[in-house]
């Protein structure tokens, strides 16, 4: 098998060959819990891509019962970013902080925290956080130096907190 072209800044090392046949223990990932993320334009069309990402993650983790709610929530969070952030790009993160808990987050460059509309507001739009709050086990906002992350955590109904 030919070696890749050498980089003068880094010496080429031959691949290690496992000499024993005993299985090695599986160690926790140094990067933390499983996660998927994708940067996309801050545009209404990105909601579809975000839903696909969330659905793929939920399927990979064996949590299809959460996929529909998570897809709806991520669509609402993308919609909020499109309407209110003024960002050119958003980052969608889907992670598994606990074995049966999915965390969906949208990061944009606005530092303005979101605020749910009052329940008696009759506007046809602007209900993203109301929907997220109704479907989520918990949700919140983390302000970053350069923007914010709005996140929602969901778990299957049988495991949801009362």
């Amino acid at each position: 098998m030919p070696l890749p072209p050498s980089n003068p800044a880094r010496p080429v090392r031959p691949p290690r060959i496992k000499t024993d046949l005993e299985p090695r223990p599986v160690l926790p990932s140094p990067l933390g819990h499983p996660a998927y993320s994708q940067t996309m334009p801050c545009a209404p069309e990105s909601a579809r891509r975000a839903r696909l990402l969330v659905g793929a993650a939920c399927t990979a983790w064996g949590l299809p019962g959460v996929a529909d709610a998570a897809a709806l929530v991520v669509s609402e969070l993308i919609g909020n970013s499109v309407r209110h952030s003024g960002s050119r790009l958003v980052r969608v993160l889907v992670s598994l902080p606990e074995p049966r808990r999915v965390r969906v987050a949208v990061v944009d460059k606005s530092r303005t925290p979101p605020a749910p509309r009052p329940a008696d507001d009759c506007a046809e739009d602007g209900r993203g956080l109301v929907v997220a709050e109704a479907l989520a086990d918990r949700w919140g906002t983390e302000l970053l130096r350069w923007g914010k992350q709005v996140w929602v955590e969901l778990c299957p109904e049988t495991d949801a907190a009362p």
Side-chain angles (χ1 to χ4, degrees):
M1 177 164 106
L3 294 174
S6 65
N7 179 348
R10 188 172 60 157
V12 175
R13 294 187 180 128
R16 283 200 232 168
I17 299 172
K18 187 175 174 183
T19 56
D20 59 350
L21 298 176
E22 300 219 7
R24 294 183 183 179
V26 176
L27 301 174
S29 167
L31 301 176
H33 48 78
Y36 294 89
S37 69
Q38 188 173 14
T39 301
M40 52 191 73
C42 187
E45 301 79 32
S46 293
R48 180 178 183 278
R49 286 175 55 190
R51 287 191 302 272
L52 291 172
L53 178 68
V54 166
C58 290
T59 300
W61 297 326
L63 296 170
V66 180
D68 288 341
L72 179 56
V73 166
V74 79
S75 290
E76 295 295 337
L77 296 180
I78 291 283
N80 284 351
S81 284
V82 169
R83 281 195 261 338
H84 305 292
S85 76
S87 298
R88 190 175 62 81
L89 299 170
V90 293
R91 183 145 190 96
V92 177
L93 305 145
V94 189
S95 60
L96 195 65
E98 295 173 15
R100 297 189 51 80
R101 179 178 301 278
V102 175
R103 182 177 174 129
V104 176
V106 174
V107 180
D108 62 40
K109 290 197 175 185
S110 170
R111 288 189 40 86
T112 304
R117 287 219 173 143
D120 61 347
D121 189 344
C122 296
E124 289 184 25
D125 64 351
R127 299 197 180 264
L129 289 178
V130 173
V131 170
E133 195 172 39
L135 294 173
D137 187 37
R138 58 186 173 211
W139 73 277
T141 303
E142 293 176 24
L143 291 179
L144 309 169
R145 246 179 337 139
W146 46 266
K148 71 175 175 305
Q149 179 183 105
V150 181
W151 57 269
V152 175
E153 290 186 357
L154 305 113
C155 51
E157 284 188 28
T158 56
D159 296 338

